[in-house]
Amino acid sequence: MAHSLGCGHYPELNYGSGAKWIKNLTQSRLSTFLGGHFQDVNLSSVLYTHRLDGPKYVDLQVWNAPGLSKPLFQEAMQQTFKPAKKGDSFGPSWTNHWWKVKISIPSDFKQYERVQLEFDPGCEAMIFTTEGLPLQGITGGDAGERRVEHIIPREAVERGTYEVVIESSCNGMFGVPWSGDMIGPPEMNRYFNLASADIVVPNQDAWHLMWDFTTLKEIVDTLPGNSPLQNKALVTANAIMNAFKTGDAENIKQMREIAEDVFGKGWQAKGADIYQEGPEKAQVVGISYCHIDTAWLWPYRATQQKTARSWSTQVDLMERYPEHRFACSQAQQFKWLEQQYPPLFKKIQDKVASGQFHLIGGAWVENDGNMPSGEALVRQFVYGQRYFESRFGQRCETAWLPDSFGLTAAYPQLIRDSGMKYFFTQKLSWNNVNVFPHSTFNWVGIDGTQVLCHMTPVDTYTAQASVGDVNKGVSNHKNLESNDSALLVFGNGDGGGGALPKMLENLRRIRAINNIHRDLPPVSMGSTVEQFFADIERDSKEGKTLPVWRGELYLEFHRGTYTSHGSIKKGNRKSEILLRDVERLATLATLFKFDWSSYVYPKATIDDCWEKVLLNQFHDVLPGSAIGMVYDDAEQLYSEVRKDCQALLEDAFGVLLSDSVPLSGDSSISQPFNVVAVNTTPFARRDIIKIPMSGAGQNLLPGSVQTSVDGNHGYVLLQTQENEIIAQPAVASTEHGPVSAHTNGSDHIILRSSSLQLTISQGRITSLYDVKLKRELIAKGSTGGLVIFEDRPNYWDAWDVEIHHLETPIPLEFSSVRVIAEGPLRAAVQTQVKYGKSTIGVTISLDAFSTTTREHSRPLFTFDADIDWGERHKILKFELPLDINNTFATYESQFGWVQRPTHKNTTLDAAKFEVCGHKFADFSEYGYGVAILSESKYGYACDGNVLRLSLLRAATAPDAEQDQGKHEFSWAVMPHVGSFLESDVPKAAYIFNSPLHLRAVPQNAQRPWATSRSPFWLEGSPNVFLETIKRGEDDDFESKSANKTVILRLYEALGGHGRVQLRISPVVQVVDAYLTNLLEDHKASLSFASDAEAEASAGDHAATTTSRFRLDLDFRAFEVKTVKLVIENEEWVSGAKVDDGSRTSDSERGSWVTVGEE
């Protein structure tokens, strides 16, 4: 007997065509359900139930702030407002306009779940309460970051009236680009229209259906076509479209029930609890973030508004989405908010305390990761962490630089020593040559320190929280074998904004899908960045199972940023050096001031200067990739720093050299004086200084001292020994022969000393010759000098210099040569190059003495440039083709150096055709080498045997006038005996960047200086440098009775172990010493070593002071150490012997330069 296994209803006959679909057509259909050509009849047509406008419902008054002023709320409210209406035009670009908005709400609107104000000025705006509390930001226009709705509070709807104040600013999220190209220069005369000022009732069910459909469509577009979920989502979305009829409440309910076939029954009612179901471990962790460039396509003042708009919006979202966690960096932006929007700042403090608003980064700004000095990077963390701790009671645990254009290998050590062990970045996803091989890894720096680093596989810090973003967190992960977690950093950024409601809604839907399907990686919300990293740390057995990346994180992109906007690079370097000098001398002034002195360490002014310098180190300012308005502001800040630092130096000199005045051409000095100089380096040095012969210097030089050819300047040799503060004129020793300059007046120049000779023939450097070793350093058949290249990157104009620029060299020739100094101390020639619209003046000089006092050290060939630059899309470089063979060159970086290839064996090697260096780049082989030193440039290269320094660029976007006009800067060529590690290049470069402070001291001064030596110095390994001397951050600078602290920062500079004795003058009463972290927290107590020799040299004073004058310190390669010395109150200086330079013999004093003595 036959048995049937079916249900018995399968028909015998079939005349139909079947249900086979054409999948791609159905998939294409989905794009017609929202907006577009069918917006009058598709879902978009039912998104709003009511819309009302006009003065009956929305009464508008406006006040237009004058010019480019940016008045705050209280000031604006004191002005006279005038009537305005929807459709009004306002501008021009960058102006600010204040609106008073009075809303009358119809009584029948009480029945609706939500009533909103829709305010679209076409630009950015911020909504305030009438008391001045920022409520949220507005982003007008039609772009994807559009946010124009403001929810009217329920009590106002019940009342029927509502008032707000709105500040609109005439710029978009990305400024006001002139041509529509985002990076184009700003259009300065753009006007905006008030497109809407309406009361609207959104159809909430329709909006949720729109979000349902959007998620379904993203699944269809993201997942493979053969996956069950992709097909199910397509079937469901298609069914929703077929079910759409009238769009009324019942119809929308029907369509939402269809969507539950994918999301699960009743999923929405669970709200934030949806994340409590499903997989226990999420592979993708969502954190909201709002990257606000502190300046870029807008100036600093616009960022202050962007910050308030963006953060107030995120605080508002937290009220509606309990799972919403917002991470935020950059202490500078918090400080602006605290100063300008105190009510909002208080709300953010509350949200930080509740764990919803997360502090990350620990730095003052998200700074450039290549060009700030090592000490500046330290201060980024010191000022950032101290601010966060002082305002929020907590420090950051995760360093955060998602958008910086490459990262120095000094960072891991600095991050760890600033109290953090985690690091987030992602910019290397922009590499244009090689794909970076890791997502989660141990990043090990030059000293061996590691941080746990995550480079999100989502490849952005402005994710839209889409299905594609979540899926990419796993599908693009580079090392799933060791860890499969990814951080989803989402929210509109660069120009601010942050997360939108649609992003949070999308993530809830994705999690609902995770709870019943396995086709998408599970996503979670509600945790912190630190929890994300802590999970990785635990799962990887404290990093043991993770890959390791050693050395710098070099971005294979944006290489032109090392050179763009040369004046900003110069301002940065000079400001860093000035602040180092100020802190060092101000500290000494507090230690050596006399009882009657009222001098107080100027901490507040120093802090203000540092904050300005740190602000300008933001990763679109210092790199030169911002609009021109930003550089107007940045130059002003550098000018203020320079002025304040010079004033602070004069105050310190008033203590240390109490009767001295600065020596300059316009000094007015009526009595005889001696010339001295203050050396702010710890190194022995020799400097040939040039002094104007006019004014105070007219009787300066006796006949035996060199004068310039035109008689306008004199040259003097100043010399110091190690750790000496005062440099004094010295008599030239016989071991150094004179220098000379010769030219035929046109195309042949020879500068010669007893050890070196430079020959320029037909405008090019044809010979660089070591006279003592009889060695030619220029490669045979090659010439060096200035060279110009076409500079036309593929898109990112100010950012990029591409490898193809090297195919277009145009050698330039030195011409119009004249000798301006003939020796014996200095030989110099002045040259000029004419090219295009530019005039390039270069003075080339050679001194009789080397910069350092090291035996066999060679003097520098110094190139002082005075350029009037008028090129467009050109890059100017200086190059030397050297008769040296090596596979790598050495470049100074923060607290050390990095070596990079000179060849192109692999694409990793070839990608480094332009690199960042600080004060030097060196190309050496066994026995000899040549370095280029720079006092303000950062772009270098060594291509084979050709060592180059990039001098000027000429991009036209986003600043149309980048680098146009006058420039003054210097570089030097330093041949040296021995390889780099055998040379004195680091010390010479340090000195080259640290000019002496010239002073005139009256000849009859009783106390010419308070001390001639630093009270802190090093003995032992010469590879350890004393970089910073400053007062402690927590000192009470006004109190005379409290103990004081001095902070010393030291580092190993050459890449090996070192042991030094940190010597402390016996006249400084040190009672305790500690090894600290960078934030000056104690790590260990240091023991003093007894030193009988030091006690004896202190004489009677040793009996009343401690005998613990030495600290023994061991260093590993490139290690940075911070030492805190606790010093008894200032009364110890009473009776202290003034160091008046008595070690100087009468015969040596006879060589002093005396001015005005008859």
Side-chain angles (χ1 to χ4, degrees), residues 777-1072:
L777 297 168
I778 296 295
K780 187 176 181 180
S782 301
T783 65
L786 296 175
V787 60
I788 201 163
F789 300 84
E790 286 186 0
D791 185 12
R792 301 174 187 172
N794 296 339
Y795 176 67
W796 296 95
D797 199 356
W799 291 261
D800 288 344
V801 56
E802 288 294 359
I803 194 168
H804 49 72
H805 84 280
L806 295 171
E807 301 170 14
T808 61
I810 302 175
L812 304 181
E813 297 179 359
F814 295 114
S815 60
S816 305
V817 179
R818 65 186 185 93
V819 175
I820 59 172
E822 297 177 316
L825 295 181
R826 173 171 295 172
V829 294
Q830 194 174 75
T831 72
Q832 190 179 84
V833 179
K834 292 278 191 178
Y835 178 85
K837 297 180 179 179
S838 303
T839 302
I840 304 169
V842 180
T843 298
I844 309 170
S845 58
L846 172 65
D847 291 346
F849 301 90
S850 60
T851 297
T852 74
T853 58
R854 179 171 177 158
E855 187 178 7
H856 305 306
S857 181
R858 302 299 195 248
L860 308 179
F861 290 98
T862 302
F863 295 74
D864 297 311
D866 184 350
I867 300 177
D868 188 354
W869 185 245
E871 302 312 302
R872 305 285 182 173
H873 298 122
K874 303 286 186 181
I875 183 168
L876 178 67
K877 301 190 179 193
F878 175 80
E879 67 178 23
L880 288 175
L882 297 168
D883 189 12
I884 291 173
N885 181 33
N886 209 330
T887 57
F888 60 83
T890 305
Y891 306 85
E892 191 197 35
S893 64
Q894 298 86 346
F895 296 127
W897 46 260
V898 60
Q899 291 179 329
R900 301 181 177 108
T902 61
H903 54 79
K904 300 174 184 175
N905 286 356
T906 69
T907 54
L908 286 171
D909 302 323
K912 295 179 179 178
F913 57 84
E914 183 86 1
V915 297
C916 184
H918 282 221
K919 296 187 286 290
F920 66 79
D922 184 89
F923 187 44
S924 300
E925 62 186 17
Y926 174 77
Y928 212 96
V930 175
I932 294 180
L933 317 183
S934 168
E935 45 77 64
S936 63
K937 301 300 176 184
Y938 296 89
Y940 295 89
C942 192
D943 184 7
N945 67 327
V946 182
L947 187 62
R948 292 191 180 100
L949 173 67
S950 295
L951 303 177
L952 287 172
R953 294 190 68 218
T956 58
D959 181 1
E961 300 300 318
Q962 183 201 96
D963 280 322
Q964 300 299 297
K966 299 284 188 179
H967 296 267
E968 293 182 4
F969 52 85
S970 301
W971 70 94
V973 173
M974 181 182 175
H976 56 85
V977 177
S979 66
F980 167 71
L981 290 177
E982 300 170 300
S983 76
D984 55 344
V985 168
K987 289 184 179 180
Y990 198 109
I991 292 170
F992 186 68
N993 277 265
S994 304
L996 295 170
H997 297 276
L998 297 178
R999 309 295 296 177
V1001 179
Q1003 188 180 29
N1004 57 0
Q1006 295 300 308
R1007 293 183 173 184
W1009 43 75
T1011 180
S1012 67
R1013 293 180 59 83
S1014 172
F1016 316 106
W1017 69 95
L1018 304 180
E1019 294 180 0
S1021 301
N1023 51 321
V1024 177
F1025 292 0
L1026 175 56
E1027 170 70 13
T1028 300
I1029 301 175
K1030 62 182 283 291
R1031 291 288 299 274
E1033 291 293 321
D1034 293 313
D1035 280 7
D1036 182 348
F1037 299 101
E1038 298 294 335
S1039 171
K1040 290 189 176 181
S1041 59
N1043 285 348
K1044 309 302 180 185
T1045 63
V1046 172
I1047 303 298
L1048 307 176
R1049 191 120 48 231
L1050 310 87
Y1051 72 99
E1052 195 287 316
L1054 292 182
H1057 281 70
R1059 173 171 293 179
V1060 295
Q1061 297 173 345
L1062 171 57
R1063 297 282 185 168
I1064 304 166
S1065 170
V1067 300
V1068 179
Q1069 283 192 348
V1070 178
V1071 295
D1072 284 301

